[in-house]
Amino acid sequence: MSYVEVPGAQVPIRMWTDPAGVEDVAMQQLRNVATLPWIKGLAVMPDVHYGKGATVGSVIAMRGAVCPAAVGVDIGCGMSAVKTSLTANDLPGDLSRFRSKIEQAIPVGRGMHDDPVDLGRLHGFPTSGWEDFWARFGGVAEAVRFRQERATKQMGSLGSGNHFIEFCLDDDGAVWLMLHSGSRNIGKELAEFHMGQAQKLPHNQGLIDRDLAVFIADTPQMAAYRNDLFWAQEYAKYNRAVMMALFQDVVRKEFKKARPVFEPVISCHHNYVAEERYDGMDLLVTRKGAIRAGSGEFGIIPGSMGTGSYIVKGLGNAASFQSASHGAGRKMSRNAAKKRFSTRDLMEQTRGVECRKDSGVIDEIPGAYKPIEKVMEQQRDLVEVVAHLKQVVCVKG
């Protein structure tokens, strides 16, 4: 489909979904965003749903301002995927041991490594810029600097909630590795600190929603936020890279006889800010639950823990600020999912997938998400499909 345009106070709201199907609270969030005096455009992806602070599945383009709540608390959250030389014929009938090995190598949830990961033992891992990256931690907000030890130990670990590590097959039977994580606790701490700072600023006192507080260009507060934001986005990128290297090491050991080879890694953020130019204007484009889909650029759009995912290439649609959805998107809250579904439902909906099937992950049950096929259909003018993947192993945080 092409987009539907809904009137907004400052700019029209371009929606790649039926507005009637969007929750009232999410629509109100979008209308609130469209009142911001700095806004130059608002695009809404087909996986749109209510989010804390700002709507998930929204692309907000502003001139001279950025809203930290529109990035979210998991700065730089995103996906990585890599195709391997393994095929379905290389896999054992029982993948439970393999899942255990992944869980042993990569801490999940609030966990962390006992010691920072030794990058020297990771096969072919590029370490250039590593020391400079950590040296720049000394320049982030003083309020969170005491978290450095935890940040170093959480590098290369999986978040909780909807974060995951998956072992997948494409439609031709080729094996892919895929994972979803972000900037861990340090990103959350930085995000919450700056949200609090923004809400105190005088120019934000008259906003329709205090969660939409912004930093304005050429101010000390904006400079401080940009510094910490871009550092956290880099942390998230490194975190996924270290995790993928650890994942590949497990695969090499468990499938030693097959001598697996890995293609280049595809990686993309979906909670972040980028400096981009549209209609002759330099804009700060915030994607919360959306990926960049520039012409020919690879992206990853996952479903839920029991459904398919997609590797895509962007079509560079300027109307969406060259963006696409970041996944299937929730159709019910976590609490609603826990009330509606049982572990029996979870086992049925994840049949054929080696994964947790206990009450602790019921909120991530496939039935709590929108159908990924419908989401993909609604954004045919944003991306083209390169590969369709189906997980056979899923590790949840």
Side-chain angles (χ1 to χ4, degrees), residues 104-105 132 267 274 280:
Q104 289 169 22
D132 174 66
S267 187

Side-chain angles (χ1 to χ4, degrees), residues 74-337:
D74 194 358
I75 298 172
C77 186
M79 300 285 304
S80 291
V82 60
K83 188 178 182 180
T84 80
S85 59
L86 297 173
T87 70
N89 294 330
D90 294 312
L91 309 187
D94 183 358
L95 288 162
S96 58
R97 168 193 154 95
F98 178 54
R99 176 164 74 97
S100 295
K101 292 293 184 180
I102 299 170
E103 292 169 341
Q104 289 169 22
I106 302 173
V108 303
R110 295 189 177 187
M112 64 188 81
H113 295 277
D114 293 335
D115 297 293
V117 175
D118 179 3
L119 303 185
R121 71 176 181 85
L122 297 180
H123 190 275
F125 192 88
T127 57
S128 60
W130 193 250
E131 290 184 7
D132 174 66
F133 167 74
W134 281 114
R136 285 188 283 118
F137 184 81
V140 304
E142 187 175 356
V144 304
R145 284 183 211 158
F146 72 101
R147 295 290 193 189
Q148 182 167 5
E149 182 181 1
R150 183 173 185 180
T152 58
K153 291 181 178 180
Q154 281 199 318
M155 178 68 75
S157 65
L158 183 69
S160 56
N162 63 351
H163 294 160
F164 62 79
I165 300 168
E166 289 185 342
F167 195 66
C168 308
L169 295 174
D170 67 18
D171 292 342
D172 295 323
V175 170
W176 289 69
L177 314 184
M178 188 164 66
L179 56 86
H180 173 204
S181 197
S183 53
R184 305 299 279 117
N185 185 68
I186 193 64
K188 175 179 178 291
E189 297 260 359
L190 285 168
E192 291 177 342
F193 171 77
H194 285 289
M195 286 179 198
Q197 295 298 106
Q199 290 178 357
K200 299 173 186 176
L201 297 174
H203 62 260
N204 290 318
Q205 301 314 305
L207 296 179
I208 194 169
D209 181 352
R210 68 191 301 268
D211 283 335
L212 297 179
V214 304
F215 293 114
I216 296 177
D218 302 320
T219 63
Q221 295 89 352
M222 171 68 107
Y225 178 61
R226 284 167 62 101
N227 176 76
D228 294 3
L229 169 75
F230 292 134
W231 184 88
Q233 288 179 183
E234 198 171 350
Y235 180 102
K237 181 186 72 172
Y238 273 129
N239 183 44
R240 288 193 294 275
V242 173
M243 256 197 300
M244 184 59 80
L246 292 169
F247 192 5
Q248 289 178 353
D249 277 357
V250 173
V251 172
R252 285 189 185 92
K253 291 171 185 174
E254 291 300 300
F255 297 91
K256 189 181 295 184
K257 289 183 180 179
R259 297 182 178 180
V261 176
F262 305 93
E263 293 189 4
V265 176
I266 299 167
S267 187
C268 59
H269 290 319
H270 55 226
N271 282 14
Y272 75 113
V273 178
E275 298 167 322
E276 298 176 3
R277 190 170 179 83
Y278 295 94
D279 298 326
M281 290 185 290
D282 291 322
L283 302 175
L284 286 164
V285 179
T286 302
R287 296 181 176 93
K288 181 175 183 178
I291 62 171
R292 180 172 162 86
S295 181
E297 294 178 355
F298 281 101
I300 306 165
I301 303 177
S304 62
M305 64 186 288
T307 60
S309 297
Y310 292 86
I311 306 297
V312 300
K313 274 188 179 179
L315 296 177
N317 190 324
S320 71
F321 298 99
Q322 301 188 82
S323 304
S325 80
H326 83 312
R330 298 192 72 91
K331 67 180 182 182
M332 66 177 69
S333 70
R334 296 185 181 279
N335 285 336

